[in-house]
């Protein structure tokens, strides 16, 4: 694995409504709770359904400045397993589309 899980916020941190952004050898990525909202003080049974969304896109631009057509996203369950799957998916995107990141 190229990008280690320790590089990301811990799973609980995503409840604050903050996305994690990173880059790796030409690939930018984002991991966030969707919908992106602070639910720390909302009781678990009162929270609306949510997922973890992983997104990758080619450098050089930020998430906000990149054409959405260049982005690829996938959603995962908000759990330890979903968190691990999202990180694996981001790494897999790097490896399977390596030509895209080295342009």
């Amino acid at each position: 694995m190229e990008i280690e899980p320790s590089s990301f916020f811990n799973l609980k941190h995503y409840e604050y409504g903050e996305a994690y952004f990173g880059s790796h050898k030409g690939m930018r990525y984002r991991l966030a709770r969707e919908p992106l909202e602070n639910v720390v003080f909302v009781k678990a049974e009162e929270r609306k359904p949510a997922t973890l969304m992983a997104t990758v896109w080619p450098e050089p631009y930020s998430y906000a400045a990149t054409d959405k057509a260049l982005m690829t996203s996938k959603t995962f369950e908000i759990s330890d397993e979903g968190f691990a799957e999202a990180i694996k998916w981001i790494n897999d995107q790097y490896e399977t589309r390596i030509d895209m990141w080295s342009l």
Side-chain angles (χ1 to χ4, degrees):
M1 214 182 262
E2 292 277 342
I3 305 166
E4 295 295 325
S6 61
S7 299
F8 293 83
F9 295 142
N10 67 53
L11 185 58
K12 180 102 174 124
H13 189 87
Y14 295 97
E15 293 179 2
Y16 286 94
E18 295 179 11
Y20 179 85
F21 296 92
S23 64
H24 181 74
K25 300 179 182 178
M27 178 185 78
R28 294 201 182 239
Y29 56 92
R30 174 184 185 264
L31 185 62
R33 179 189 186 280
E34 293 295 332
L36 189 63
E37 60 187 7
N38 186 332
V39 296
V40 170
F41 300 109
V42 177
K43 293 178 185 174
E45 63 272 7
E46 295 176 6
R47 293 180 185 178
K48 297 174 188 167
T51 59
L52 274 178
M53 181 181 287
T55 304
V56 298
W57 67 95
E59 289 185 337
Y61 301 112
S62 70
Y63 181 80
T66 298
D67 181 348
K68 301 304 179 221
L70 297 174
M71 296 181 179
T72 304
S73 297
K74 185 171 179 180
T75 57
F76 300 88
E77 176 183 295
I78 297 179
S79 66
D80 290 334
E81 295 80 15
F83 182 64
E85 289 172 10
I87 295 168
K88 181 181 181 319
W89 181 82
I90 291 169
N91 278 299
D92 289 347
Q93 290 299 299
Y94 176 77
E95 291 176 16
T96 60
R97 299 167 60 196
I98 200 158
D99 291 344
M100 182 176 212
W101 319 126
S102 58
L103 296 177

